[in-house]
Amino acid sequence: MLVLAGAGSGKTRVIAHRVSYLIENEHISPDAIVAVSFTNKAARELKNRVAELVGSARVAHCHLSTFHSLGFEILRKHITRLGWKLPFAIIDGDDQAGIIKNILKDMHFHGGNSLEVQDLLGFISRVKTAHVPPLKYPGMSFNPKRRTLERVFNDYQAIRKSMNAIDFDDMIALPVELFETFDDVLSSYTDTWRYLLVDEYQDTNSLQFRFLQLLCRDRQNLMVVGDDDQSIYAFRGADSTHILEFPTFFDNVEVVSLEQNYRSHQIILDAANGVIAKNTVRHAKTLHSEKVSGDLIQAYSCPTPEAEAEFVVSQIRNIRAVKNLNYRDIAVLYRTNPQSKALEEKLFPSGMPYRIVGGTKLYDRAEIRDLLFYLRAVYAFHDELALRRILNIPRRGIAAKTLEKIDEVAQADDLTYFEALKKVSASGMLTGAADLKLREFIEIIERYHRRFMAKSAPMSETMRALVDEIHYIAYLQSSSGSDAFAQHRRDNVDILLNALDSFESHEVSEGRDGRDPGAFLLQTLLDELPRKEEETEADQITLMTLHASKGLEFPAVFIVGCEENLLPHANSLKEPALSEERRLFYVGITRARQYLTLTYARNRRKMYDMLDIEPSRFLKDIPEHTIEYHDSADMESESMREDELAAKMASRLAQMRNLFK
């Protein structure tokens, strides 16, 4: 079954009630049901909704998670069949970048060459998600760098395996490899997981699609929910053909359309319908709402991006006063991250609180990464990248020559990095303080590995003991430059310890092992660490990209930069990219519940020139009866006249009061 669920029509509700129906009405065993989404947040929401319908006890036996969490659990049971060891390390983007830099160094490529690290990581990810060899990836036949790219890909794969480390894409790629290589492994899952449900199906990539195909091999009990009009992640490998051509991939497909929107009023939906109807390759559907009346969409032209930002700030102030909204009710959306700079420059002096979604993640901060690397090292001795990171944190005085000796031993004797550390320490190669510090480090890693694996105490308690033993707080104090900054960093350490507590409590409530460092490390890769409640509930304006806004909603939404070469982006003016840009604009429009404002600049600076800019072609697709166009200068003049009138009235009232005195 394909459920085409338009924006705001209740995708998660559909999945939750389907799971409930299978359990309550069809008497299906909960452990036979698998429902997957794309984020931990969405998976948690689904669990909560199903728990309300069938109770927490039965939900604990369902497999309600993300694709990657599901793949991770499969790997923990079967990865040794592919020649890996347990436990395996999980590497993030920074780790991957380090591997690529070393590969380029070995290939004698240096800074300034045409092979950029992030581009290579993107290529590796796209090849993996496309589920093809590197030379079979589209466009490679005529790529003059194809042999170099193939070598980088193969070297990266070999190095990562030699480190016994998997990356984000491996969490799906390796389970697929297991299923395709070992029929008994696949059968063990197809026999158990008999009912599959997928949320946000339009976001699936080729690897995830293959994963589903394999699990549906014996029976096609597959129900997917999605909206092809919200397929906006092609840059991540998402393939909209999976939802557009779903009836051709499976037998006896039933298609159900959900077109009632419970979020926005009809004027906003008429605008969204007008925009998306211009995409010719789509499942036809028209959103409608019982909220038939509402404010017209307001569109404003501004002379420059700076004037646009200043105007948006003034309009936020006005809409809060007139419509009685909180700051948290307002979102400003834009196509590219650099657009936030002009907004910040105007918001900051205004004193209005705001937050930028997609900025520095909490676990990207040095002190949190340090401790996560310690956790990685004590969880998996094979995690070479983690061991290298923490060997001199806090400072242990282990010099570069010692590090060279360790590398030489590892290479000569084909040892893991930790095995090489132990061999160098035991061999007497080192003397004095360096030898003592290295022995202490090895002993700490081994002892805390035993403590975490014993699971005799809460993970946060064991982690706090580790923090104390390595004198990490003293290290922060001495390396922070000021007491205030040191305190800020200590607060971040507490956030990590609290996150361990929260994770353990949540896992136990779900009937799982709460003292599992591997599962916690996976969560930090898939999800932001939980922030303090006062931060998440703070009354702040939200600034974010259109991509980041998907799945959210706000009473009032501003979409800035509605201009040609920005929305649609200059790199996406041809099909099929242009259709995706139109879908992105559609997503932005449908985030608004009550009030929608669109702005664009008439001039924009490029290098040293000020260029004339055309309004976005998408504005022409918005039906005339839904929108009003203005010049921001006129609105500012009108606002000034109103201010002058108010000032005169206040002066006259003051005079009258004086007379009565």
Side-chain angles (χ1 to χ4, degrees):
M1 176 177 281
L2 167 62
V3 179
L4 294 169
S9 63
K11 295 182 186 65
T12 306
R13 178 182 172 86
V14 168
I15 296 280
H17 280 264
R18 172 75 166 194
V19 172
S20 171
Y21 181 85
L22 289 172
I23 295 172
E24 295 278 14
N25 297 71
E26 298 293 333
H27 307 294
I28 304 300
S29 174
D31 61 9
I33 300 171
V34 176
V36 293
S37 189
F38 282 81
T39 66
N40 280 341
K41 180 182 176 183
R44 285 193 295 268
E45 183 181 350
L46 178 60
K47 286 178 185 177
N48 292 337
R49 292 199 187 192
V50 177
E52 290 173 1
L53 297 169
V54 302
S56 300
R58 286 192 282 188
V59 167
H61 294 284
C62 294
H63 305 275
L64 311 180
S65 68
T66 63
F67 274 104
H68 291 86
S69 295
L70 209 61
F72 179 72
E73 291 305 318
I74 292 169
L75 293 180
R76 297 223 290 188
K77 293 179 182 177
H78 304 289
I79 197 170
T80 55
R81 299 283 292 271
L82 295 173
W84 301 66
K85 301 172 186 174
L86 286 172
F88 51 83
I90 305 171
I91 58 176
D92 62 15
D94 287 344
D95 299 328
Q96 293 175 278
I99 294 172
I100 294 297
K101 287 174 185 175
N102 287 332
I103 292 172
L104 293 178
K105 186 178 178 181
D106 289 343
M107 294 171 66
H108 305 293
F109 283 96
H110 301 287
N113 64 74
S114 58
L115 291 176
E116 298 293 339
V117 171
Q118 292 304 318
D119 291 341
L120 290 170
L121 286 176
F123 170 74
I124 290 168
S125 180
R126 289 192 296 274
V127 169
K128 286 189 178 187
T129 56
H131 193 48
V132 294
L135 292 183
K136 295 291 185 181
Y137 186 75
M140 286 293 283
S141 299
F142 305 102
N143 191 324
K145 300 176 185 175
R146 60 186 178 277
R147 292 297 175 187
T148 302
L149 291 171
E150 181 189 33
R151 178 180 167 185
V152 170
F153 180 89
N154 291 336
D155 285 357
Y156 169 83
Q157 292 287 78
I159 290 170
R160 144 199 141 292
K161 188 168 184 179
S162 72
M163 293 177 169
N164 204 56
I166 69 169
D167 62 29
F168 190 69
D169 295 317
D170 288 329
M171 291 182 200
I172 309 297
L174 293 178
V176 167
E177 185 180 345
L178 274 165
F179 288 167
E180 291 180 336
T181 308
F182 303 103
D183 190 71
D184 61 314
V185 175
L186 175 57
S187 295
S188 69
Y189 288 99
T190 58
D191 290 346
T192 305
W193 294 351
R194 295 181 289 113
Y195 295 86
L196 304 179
L197 304 95
V198 184
D199 195 9
E200 301 288 4
Y201 179 71
Q202 75 280 349
D203 294 335
T204 52
N205 59 38
S206 297
L207 200 57
Q208 290 158 340
F209 180 70
R210 180 59 178 155
F211 183 71
L212 292 171
Q213 272 188 321
L214 290 163
L215 288 174
C216 289
R217 180 189 65 177
D218 298 334
R219 58 181 69 81
Q220 295 193 359
N221 285 341
L222 174 66
M223 172 182 165
V224 302
V225 182
D227 182 8
D228 52 299
D229 291 334
Q230 296 186 74
S231 180
I232 59 172
Y233 292 123
F235 68 96
R236 293 181 186 170
D239 187 346
S240 60
T241 60
H242 296 154
I243 190 167
L244 291 170
E245 300 177 20
F246 185 84
T248 67
F249 294 135
F250 299 95
D251 299 329
N252 304 316
V253 170
E254 183 174 350
V255 180
V256 177
S257 292
L258 303 180
E259 300 183 4
Q260 182 169 351
N261 175 288
Y262 298 93
R263 176 187 302 155
S264 311
H265 60 68
Q266 193 60 49
I267 290 173
I268 290 174
L269 298 183
D270 285 348
N273 289 332
V275 168
I276 204 63
K278 298 296 181 179
N279 276 1
T280 55
V281 181
R282 60 185 289 263
H283 290 290
K285 52 190 169 302
T286 303
L287 295 179
H288 61 86
S289 172
E290 292 182 352
K291 305 170 187 174
V292 293
S293 62
D295 287 25
L296 292 178
I297 297 165
Q298 304 298 310
Y300 298 94
S301 69
C302 305
T304 64
E306 293 74 23
E308 178 187 39
E310 189 166 354
F311 179 70
V312 167
V313 170
S314 70
Q315 289 300 104
I316 289 173
R317 188 180 289 110
N318 292 344
I319 200 170
R320 281 193 72 244
V322 175
K323 305 297 184 182
N324 194 30
L325 298 178
N326 295 312
Y327 288 117
R328 70 169 69 91
D329 297 329
I330 301 167
V332 185
L333 312 181
Y334 36 82
R335 176 62 179 83
T336 64
N337 278 307
Q339 289 173 260
S340 67
K341 183 175 182 292
L343 292 162
E344 278 197 274
E345 288 175 350
K346 302 301 180 183
L347 276 170
F348 184 77
S350 76
M352 287 191 281
Y354 66 92
R355 68 185 182 112
I356 298 180
V357 175
T360 302
K361 291 183 177 179
L362 197 61
Y363 54 70
D364 283 340
R365 295 173 185 174
E367 55 276 7
I368 287 182
R369 286 184 65 78
D370 286 346
L371 297 182
L372 286 176
F373 275 107
Y374 263 99
L375 186 58
R376 281 172 51 173
V378 299
Y379 171 66
F381 292 155
H382 318 290
D383 197 335
E384 177 179 336
L385 294 168
L387 289 164
R388 286 180 181 275
R389 161 89 180 219
I390 63 175
L391 190 55
N392 265 320
I393 294 178
R395 300 181 187 91
R396 294 186 172 88
I398 299 175
K401 287 185 178 180
T402 303
L403 298 177
E404 288 174 10
K405 285 183 181 179
I406 295 166
D407 285 335
E408 288 169 5
V409 169
Q411 192 168 7
D413 297 346
D414 192 25
L415 300 175
T416 68
Y417 195 72
F418 192 67
E419 289 169 342
L421 287 177
K422 294 179 72 174
K423 184 166 184 176
V424 168
S425 176
S427 66
M429 293 182 191
L430 305 179
T431 58
D435 180 52
L436 178 62
K437 291 290 185 182
L438 185 57
R439 287 175 186 273
E440 286 178 355
F441 176 77
I442 292 168
E443 197 273 331
I444 286 172
I445 297 299
E446 290 185 326
R447 180 152 43 84
Y448 279 90
H449 172 78
R450 292 192 296 271
R451 288 182 65 170
F452 274 105
M453 294 303 104
K455 302 179 181 180
S456 56
M459 285 197 295
S460 62
E461 183 180 311
T462 307
M463 193 70 189
R464 189 177 294 279
L466 175 58
V467 169
D468 291 342
E469 180 148 350
I470 63 176
H471 307 293
Y472 190 75
I473 300 302
Y475 164 72
L476 290 182
Q477 188 69 43
S478 64
S479 61
S480 295
S482 73
D483 288 343
F485 187 45
Q487 182 60 54
H488 173 70
R489 298 179 74 187
R490 289 198 297 271
D491 289 344
N492 285 337
V493 171
D494 286 337
I495 288 173
L496 176 61
L497 295 171
N498 291 337
L500 281 161
D501 263 338
S502 298
F503 173 83
E504 186 167 328
S505 299
H506 178 266
E507 293 295 284
V508 170
S509 71
E510 296 286 324
R512 290 189 293 270
D513 177 9
R515 296 176 182 177
D516 183 347
F520 177 77
L521 289 167
L522 173 65
Q523 177 175 283
T524 64
L525 185 64
L526 297 178
D527 239 356
E528 173 65 284
L529 288 177
R531 293 177 180 269
K532 296 177 183 176
E533 186 174 342
E534 57 267 28
E535 287 186 57
T536 57
E537 297 300 320
D539 189 21
Q540 298 172 316
I541 301 161
T542 299
L543 275 58
M544 64 171 66
T545 64
L546 287 158
H547 282 99
S549 73
K550 186 169 171 291
L552 303 176
E553 59 182 74
F554 301 88
V557 169
F558 291 79
I559 304 179
V560 301
C562 298
E563 306 155 19
E564 283 295 294
N565 298 317
L566 197 53
L567 182 64
H569 195 274
N571 296 336
S572 305
L573 299 180
K574 294 182 180 179
E575 296 293 356
L578 182 60
S579 288
E580 179 155 323
E581 291 289 298
R582 188 176 282 107
R583 293 194 291 267
L584 189 58
F585 188 46
Y586 169 86
V587 165
I589 292 172
T590 53
R591 299 312 94 193
R593 295 210 304 256
Q594 296 165 271
Y595 313 109
L596 177 62
T597 303
L598 311 174
T599 65
Y600 54 94
R602 297 188 295 273
N603 303 279
R604 191 172 286 271
R605 187 174 296 281
K606 186 174 183 180
M607 300 297 289
Y608 300 105
D609 299 320
M610 186 66 81
L611 304 179
D612 293 338
I613 301 297
E614 291 293 319
S616 170
R617 68 188 70 187
F618 300 151
L619 294 178
K620 300 173 186 176
D621 300 332
I622 297 176
E624 291 182 3
H625 74 274
T626 68
I627 190 167
E628 289 181 338
Y629 289 92
H630 311 273
D631 188 306
S632 64
D634 294 339
M635 298 300 294
E636 287 169 0
S637 298
E638 182 179 327
S639 176
M640 286 174 63
R641 288 195 297 272
E642 289 175 355
D643 290 345
E644 289 171 4
L645 180 61
K648 288 178 180 178
M649 289 178 66
S651 176
R652 181 61 178 155
L653 284 169
Q655 291 173 359
M656 292 175 68
R657 288 192 189 98
N658 288 331
L659 285 171
F660 281 111
K661 283 180 182 177

